[in-house]
């Protein structure tokens, strides 16, 4: 059973165009599944608001960020919402979210598809433009959500946005894939590299 938005798509679209900043739109239009189960708005905490200012406003070439996050802070959800917004504004861009476990990959694909399902109709990705782990936008941008080292993993020659989640849990082969992918991110304004994880043993996490 599909979750229903608390506001109609047409109202969200009108507010987006006339009243809301991008930050406000993400908080109002993007929905996440809470730990208790219900679908709720992605309302920013102080931590999320700070991260948004750092990540979404990146204007320097290939801004690179490492985030040590607390558990259940919706950091991954926020990053994926920012990626979605960046891809909509930048035709032809390519983004990757990479994980170390297939079950996490499946969970993040479901999260992204829930985002898409509850956005205003004019901003949704149609089913015909979705394949397993690849989402193609009307403007030609592409979003890959994949497992590093998985059978479907293939890194494009140029990536504008690269996101690795739970990086502290990655093994040496998965980290090698990350390093290769990072080399594909050009030094252009707005490009973004972000690694995030709860505490672990790798990379200072």
């Amino acid at each position: 059973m599909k979750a229903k938005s608390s506001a109609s798509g047409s109202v969200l679209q009108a507010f987006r165009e006339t009243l809301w900043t991008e930050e406000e739109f993400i908080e109002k239009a993007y929905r996440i599944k809470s730990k208790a189960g219900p679908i709720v708005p992605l309302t920013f905490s102080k931590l999320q608001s700070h991260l948004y200012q750092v990540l979404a406003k990146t204007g320097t070439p290939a801004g690179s960020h490492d985030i040590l996050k607390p558990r259940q802070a919706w950091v991954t959800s926020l990053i994926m919402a920012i990626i979605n917004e960046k891809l909509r504004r930048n035709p032809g861009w390519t983004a990757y979210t990479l994980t170390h476990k297939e079950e996490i990959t499946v969970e993040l694909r479901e999260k992204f598809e829930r985002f898409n399902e509850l956005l205003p109709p004019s901003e949704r990705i149609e089913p015909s433009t979705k394949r397993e782990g690849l989402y193609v936008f009307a403007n030609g941008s592409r979003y890959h959500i994949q497992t590093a080292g998985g059978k479907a993993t293939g890194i494009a020659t140029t990536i504008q946005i690269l996101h690795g989640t739970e990086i502290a849990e990655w093994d040496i082969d998965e980290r090698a894939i990350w390093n290769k992918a990072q080399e594909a991110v050009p030094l252009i304004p707005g490009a973004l590299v972000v690694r995030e994880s709860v505490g672990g043993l790798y990379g200072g996490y």
Side-chain angles (χ1 to χ4, degrees):
M1 181 175 178
K2 292 184 177 181
K4 294 183 179 180
S5 172
S6 60
S8 71
S10 59
V11 170
L12 287 172
Q13 184 66 37
F15 279 14
R16 177 180 182 75
E17 294 174 352
T18 60
L19 298 176
W20 289 339
T21 64
E22 180 182 282
E23 181 176 359
E24 290 170 329
F25 180 77
I26 290 176
E27 286 195 86
K28 300 291 192 302
Y30 283 76
R31 298 289 192 270
I32 57 176
K33 187 174 182 180
S34 69
K35 300 299 181 184
I39 304 299
V40 298
L42 181 58
T43 303
F44 287 5
S45 64
K46 289 184 178 180
L47 170 62
Q48 290 169 320
S49 184
H50 173 72
L51 286 177
Y52 174 84
Q53 295 302 321
V54 171
L55 300 177
K57 304 294 186 180
T58 296
T60 55
S64 182
H65 305 275
D66 287 287
I67 301 169
L68 176 60
K69 64 182 183 181
R71 294 187 183 277
Q72 301 183 2
W74 308 117
V75 169
T76 303
S77 298
L78 173 61
I79 292 170
M80 293 179 69
I82 291 170
I83 290 172
N84 196 27
E85 290 297 306
K86 279 181 171 283
L87 291 175
R88 292 177 189 282
R89 294 196 313 271
N90 293 280
W93 273 30
T94 297
Y96 279 79
T97 286
L98 297 177
T99 81
H100 70 295
K101 288 184 178 180
E102 189 63 29
E103 55 264 38
I104 296 177
T105 301
V106 170
E107 178 183 331
L108 295 189
R109 289 173 183 170
E110 291 175 351
K111 183 190 300 289
F112 179 77
E113 290 174 10
R114 186 180 305 116
F115 281 168
N116 180 67
E117 178 183 299
L118 296 174
L119 284 174
S122 63
E123 302 200 23
R124 294 176 192 161
I125 300 173
E126 296 303 319
S128 61
T129 62
K130 296 188 293 185
R131 298 205 306 270
E132 186 176 10
L134 170 61
Y135 304 89
V136 182
F137 293 71
N139 64 4
S141 291
R142 302 164 73 87
Y143 187 19
H144 302 258
I145 303 176
Q146 296 182 353
T147 307
K151 292 181 179 179
T153 304
I155 303 300
T157 55
T158 302
I159 305 168
Q160 285 75 27
I161 306 171
L162 179 61
H163 166 220
T165 185
E166 302 305 342
I167 201 82
E169 304 295 331
W170 292 29
D171 64 26
I172 190 168
D173 292 332
E174 292 160 348
R175 281 179 257 154
I177 291 171
W178 172 268
N179 292 336
K180 179 181 178 182
Q182 192 166 350
E183 292 174 358
V185 181
L187 295 175
I188 61 171
L192 179 66
V193 176
V194 56
R195 304 187 303 178
E196 43 92 353
S197 185
V198 295
L201 300 176
Y202 166 62
Y205 293 98

